Amino acid sequence: STSSYYLQFYYYSENSSYLWAQTNTDITYGYRVRCMKDNEKSDMIITVTEVTDITSTSAQASAKILLYNGVDVIETGFVVGDSPEVCIEDGMVLSTDKQTGYISTQISGLNELTKYYVKAYAIFANGITEYSQPKTFSTLSEDGTRLFSDPANCFIVNKAGKYAFEMLKGNSNEPISNAVKAEILWETNNTTTGVSKGNIVSSAEINENLVLFNIVESAEPGNALIAVKDSEDNILWSWHIWSVDFDPE
């Protein structure tokens, strides 16, 4: 089929206002270009920008909703769940009424040491609901244990305290079966001097599907290797713990 396309130029300012060029010849100030099909009545960009102030039961989510072409929305907000496919029908819904631009909300009633997915959403006047891409975050435990949200073969830490990660094989979502204990195999401190186990990671243990470990207060930059073993002392998998003196973010 044949469709007509039009160029429209705009500038979006920090106070959530739009400046629109009137024709496709008004190319000034490097305005961005957006192509709209003649049957495209509304459009928007929805992005979860950050999740902050995470505790064992709550978090603060922020998002950015940018409008195009006079979009008409009847509701915006956030939806939270334990799956990246979470939607309004099966998640925790936190409406922000019709707010656009920069929006935020407090998420409460969460479980400790749990991985969550949060999306921003907008409902159009025509009944269509659009979602942002999911953003992951993990709650702490009541004792302050930090859970890494994503699987990895290496975990970077820059603070003393308790940490946890899911017992998965590397960067995959494949669980590890028959693990009965976790053990610190070795440690180094980036020098030629020998380091005793426990100078960086003081303990490691299994708690259901999680590996928990503790970084000591006096830990210097260095490395440790944590493994899980079966009942016959065979290593099933191992993970690199990298202790650093900078902010990994």
Side-chain angles (χ1 to χ4, degrees), residues 83-105:
S83 165
E85 286 77 39
V86 63
C87 60
I88 290 175
E89 288 74 19
D90 59 16
M92 178 194 300
V93 178
L94 302 160
S95 173
T96 54
D97 196 19
K98 299 181 181 180
Q99 295 181 39
T100 57
Y102 293 87
I103 65 174
S104 64
T105 193

Side-chain angles (χ1 to χ4, degrees), residues 128-192:
I128 295 175
T129 302
E130 295 288 347
Y131 296 90
S132 70
Q133 291 296 311
K135 192 173 187 68
T136 60
F137 70 96
S138 295
T139 52
L140 308 180
S141 69
E142 291 186 2
D143 66 1
T145 299
R146 305 170 181 89
L147 175 65
F148 288 96
S149 296
D150 299 310
N153 259 329
C154 176
F155 296 101
I156 304 175
V157 297
N158 70 334
K159 297 178 182 178
K162 298 178 179 180
Y163 296 85
F165 57 86
E166 291 184 88
M167 197 161 45
L168 301 172
K169 292 184 177 180
N171 296 313
S172 74
N173 288 312
E174 182 181 350
I176 297 170
S177 303
N178 303 319
V180 297
K181 65 178 180 179
E183 184 178 310
I184 306 164
L185 296 184
W186 53 257
E187 294 184 2
T188 68
N189 64 354
N190 299 333
T191 71
T192 57

Side-chain angles (χ1 to χ4, degrees), residues 9-240:
F9 302 88
Y10 71 90
Y11 170 76
Y12 180 77
S13 66
E14 288 297 321
N15 64 3
S16 303
S17 62
Y18 285 85
L19 302 176
W20 296 89
Q22 297 303 307
T23 70
N24 62 0
T25 60
D26 296 335
I27 306 175
T28 57
Y29 304 108
Y31 289 167
R32 285 178 61 189
V33 179
R34 178 165 179 79
C35 299
M36 293 180 290
K37 296 175 66 174
D38 54 3
N39 62 350
E40 185 177 339
K41 302 303 182 184
S42 61
D43 199 4
M44 60 170 50
I45 287 179
I46 314 172
T47 304
V48 176
T49 54
E50 60 180 355
V51 180
T52 59
D53 300 331
I54 300 170
T55 71
S56 61
T57 59
S58 65
Q60 183 79 17
S62 301
K64 181 168 58 177
I65 297 181
L66 307 182
L67 307 182
Y68 298 107
N69 198 30
V71 65
D72 186 14
V73 296
I74 60 175
E75 183 181 330
T76 60
F78 298 84
V79 59
V80 184
D82 58 6
S83 165
E85 286 77 39
V86 63
C87 60
I88 290 175
E89 288 74 19
D90 59 16
M92 178 194 300
V93 178
L94 302 160
S95 173
T96 54
D97 196 19
K98 299 181 181 180
Q99 295 181 39
T100 57
Y102 293 87
I103 65 174
S104 64
T105 193
Q106 178 76 11
I107 308 170
S108 57
L110 304 175
N111 297 319
E112 66 173 346
L113 274 185
T114 303
K115 180 178 179 178
Y116 288 97
Y117 298 83
V118 58
K119 295 179 181 178
Y121 73 85
I123 302 176
F124 295 133
N126 61 8
I128 295 175
T129 302
E130 295 288 347
Y131 296 90
S132 70
Q133 291 296 311
K135 192 173 187 68
T136 60
F137 70 96
S138 295
T139 52
L140 308 180
S141 69
E142 291 186 2
D143 66 1
T145 299
R146 305 170 181 89
L147 175 65
F148 288 96
S149 296
D150 299 310
N153 259 329
C154 176
F155 296 101
I156 304 175
V157 297
N158 70 334
K159 297 178 182 178
K162 298 178 179 180
Y163 296 85
F165 57 86
E166 291 184 88
M167 197 161 45
L168 301 172
K169 292 184 177 180
N171 296 313
S172 74
N173 288 312
E174 182 181 350
I176 297 170
S177 303
N178 303 319
V180 297
K181 65 178 180 179
E183 184 178 310
I184 306 164
L185 296 184
W186 53 257
E187 294 184 2
T188 68
N189 64 354
N190 299 333
T191 71
T192 57
T193 303
V195 178
S196 300
K197 289 189 293 185
N199 284 13
I200 297 173
V201 181
S202 62
S203 63
E205 61 181 301
I206 294 174
N207 185 349
E208 295 183 355
N209 67 325
L210 298 176
V211 175
L212 286 73
F213 65 96
N214 187 67
I215 299 295
V216 300
E217 288 287 346
S218 57
E220 296 182 357
N223 304 271
L225 193 70
I226 294 177
V228 291
K229 295 183 174 182
D230 63 17
S231 58
E232 297 181 351
D233 216 35
N234 297 309
I235 294 176
L236 303 175
W237 202 266
S238 63
W239 297 266
H240 174 209

